[in-house]
Amino acid sequence: MSLDPITPDDIEALAVGSWILGTGGGGSPYLGLLNMRRLYAEGHRVELMSPFDLADEAWVALVSNMGAPLVGQERLADSRNIARAVTLQEQVSGIKFAAVMSLEIGGNNAIQPLMAAAHLGLPVVDADTMGRAYPEAQMTSVAVGDLKPYPCALYDPRGIEAVVTKVPSWKWMERVSRKICVEMGSIASTCKAPRSGREIKDWGIHFTVTKAISIGRRVREARRRHEDPIVATLEETGGKQLFFGKIIDVTRRTTEGFLRGCAVIEGLDEDRASRLEIEFQNEWVVAWRDSKPLAMSPDLICVLDPVSGDAFGTETVRYGMQVTVVALPAPPVFLTPKGLQHVGPRAFGYDLDFRSVFDS
């Protein structure tokens, strides 16, 4: 098995790239980045491994923060919380984890496995189960694969520990764990159902950590060279620019453990005289240009700073910001008929048939 050291520069790039892949959600990676800077300053180190180096029978911990991104701005990230969720899952399941992996590569949830691994001395698997960020438990590749959804361990920094031991479906796991999360203050550290190495090989979305790092490196290099960071992102990902304009209105509310709302963007330059509205549930879900659907999940809708290339989260966009909206291709598993049942626009309650911006 080959383990590659994750350098401090890799972590800086991961924070940039994962925020872009977060499609507005996953939580800002800034606080996780501060945690990793401190852990590395204290001498901790983390290593990355290929998913295909996992033994079939090895157990992998899938970790994430669950809840509303806006709450994450108020309750600061602590690496010990996510490490405790992993050890709690080990105790409940009676197993020993061989590695840690991100549930979603988007935003701060890309940093969570690194924080856990630093405390636990485990490698991080170069994969996740979304290829981006999604708001609900059934919106994963392992759910599309009908893998077992339980048990799920949740930990709160006040010392509250909860485990969902059995549910009949992934949607029930979402409903039950979300209720617990809301009672914890709409944010909780979680370790999802343990996955075997075989399951990760079959159903994981592979090499997304290195993908996020590569995107971040391209953006940071573009800044250093005073080049266009948006072009760098599109070249690295095969994405498309959709719109350029200024935020003129944002409505949002935290409800049932989600951040929901809509951002309205008035077009500038070539998009002048047009308006883009993007609705979100933690993540950007559907974009409407002049009242016509333009882009939708599972295509990744990303709202970026045209100067720095950094992403804006649904909890951080505000009136007056100039933004560039781009779309990135979705992982193939979510473009199948079954995948679209889990993450297509109808899964979010929209009466729309999925149409990719990359089909035109």
Side-chain angles (χ1 to χ4, degrees):
M1 180 175 67
S2 175
L3 296 176
D4 296 319
I6 299 177
T7 68
D9 188 69
D10 290 336
I11 298 171
E12 300 288 333
L14 176 63
V16 174
S18 66
W19 201 205
I20 293 171
L21 292 176
T23 69
S28 169
Y30 179 66
L31 296 174
L33 175 61
L34 294 183
N35 271 259
M36 290 308 302
R37 286 175 180 170
R38 170 60 67 179
L39 288 167
Y40 267 51
E42 293 173 353
H44 295 276
R45 292 295 181 269
V46 180
E47 295 176 308
L48 191 67
M49 66 176 294
S50 166
F52 297 106
D53 284 342
L54 286 165
D56 286 356
E57 66 278 7
W59 290 111
V60 179
L62 269 63
V63 300
S64 74
N65 263 355
M66 184 180 193
L70 191 62
V71 179
Q73 298 292 303
E74 301 170 354
R75 184 177 292 180
L76 304 185
D78 186 329
S79 58
R80 292 168 295 185
N81 295 341
I82 198 66
R84 175 55 190 156
V86 174
T87 57
L88 176 61
Q89 179 68 267
E90 285 184 325
Q91 292 168 4
V92 169
S93 300
I95 61 173
K96 189 68 177 175
F97 286 118
V100 186
M101 189 177 108
S102 178
L103 182 77
E104 61 182 12
I105 197 61
N108 187 50
N109 275 330
I111 313 292
Q112 293 292 315
L114 277 67
M115 294 196 296
H119 286 285
L120 301 172
L122 298 174
V124 174
V125 180
D126 192 356
D128 77 311
T129 67
M130 296 184 181
R132 47 166 293 168
Y134 280 117
E136 299 186 22
Q138 74 276 10
M139 297 176 173
T140 64
S141 58
V142 292
V144 174
D146 288 326
L147 303 186
K148 189 176 77 170
Y150 55 84
C152 176
L154 301 93
Y155 179 76
D156 175 273
R158 291 164 294 193
I160 303 170
E161 299 179 348
V163 180
V164 181
T165 56
K166 191 172 184 180
V167 288
S169 68
W170 279 97
K171 286 193 176 182
W172 269 109
M173 174 57 76
E174 167 60 31
R175 291 178 63 179
V176 174
S177 60
R178 186 69 55 176
K179 291 295 184 183
I180 297 171
C181 176
V182 169
E183 291 302 314
M184 288 179 166
S186 288
I187 194 164
S189 298
T190 72
C191 185
K192 308 297 185 181
R195 302 267 73 101
S196 70
R198 183 71 265 164
E199 289 172 330
I200 297 302
K201 294 173 192 176
D202 291 343
W203 288 101
I205 300 174
H206 304 134
F207 304 113
T208 50
V209 178
T210 52
K211 178 180 180 179
I213 291 172
S214 296
I215 294 170
R217 282 177 179 159
R218 285 292 303 272
V219 170
R220 298 177 77 213
E221 179 66 12
R223 292 177 196 159
R224 190 182 70 80
R225 294 176 175 270
H226 304 289
E227 297 172 350
D228 189 337
I230 305 297
V231 171
T233 294
L234 298 181
E235 289 178 350
E236 184 68 24
T237 61
K240 286 186 176 183
Q241 181 168 326
L242 302 179
F243 202 80
F244 172 68
K246 182 182 77 171
I247 302 281
I248 61 170
D249 192 24
V250 182
T251 57
R252 55 184 159 227
R253 65 193 188 281
T254 299
T255 175
E256 298 179 330
F258 298 109
L259 184 65
R260 301 178 187 268
C262 179
V264 182
I265 307 169
E266 185 176 69
L268 297 173
D269 296 345
E270 294 180 0
D271 295 307
R272 189 175 297 276
S274 284
R275 176 176 290 196
L276 193 74
E277 298 183 14
I278 318 178
E279 297 186 4
F280 57 85
Q281 179 186 334
N282 287 7
E283 288 76 34
W284 309 110
V285 178
V286 178
W288 312 77
R289 179 169 183 150
D290 300 327
S291 301
K292 296 181 180 178
L294 173 65
M296 63 196 74
S297 175
D299 282 350
L300 283 69
I301 302 170
C302 309
V303 178
L304 308 180
D305 185 327
V307 176
S308 69
D310 282 332
F312 291 127
T314 56
E315 78 275 28
T316 62
V317 291
R318 63 183 185 274
Y319 176 84
M321 286 179 165
Q322 286 195 1
V323 299
T324 300
V325 182
V326 305
L328 310 184
V333 66
F334 296 125
L335 299 176
T336 64
K338 188 170 184 183
L340 289 173
Q341 290 177 10
H342 285 256
V343 300
R346 295 186 186 279
F348 291 90
Y350 295 94
D351 188 19
L352 294 171
D353 292 323
F354 173 67
R355 182 172 181 270
S356 175
V357 299
F358 299 99
D359 290 340
S360 59

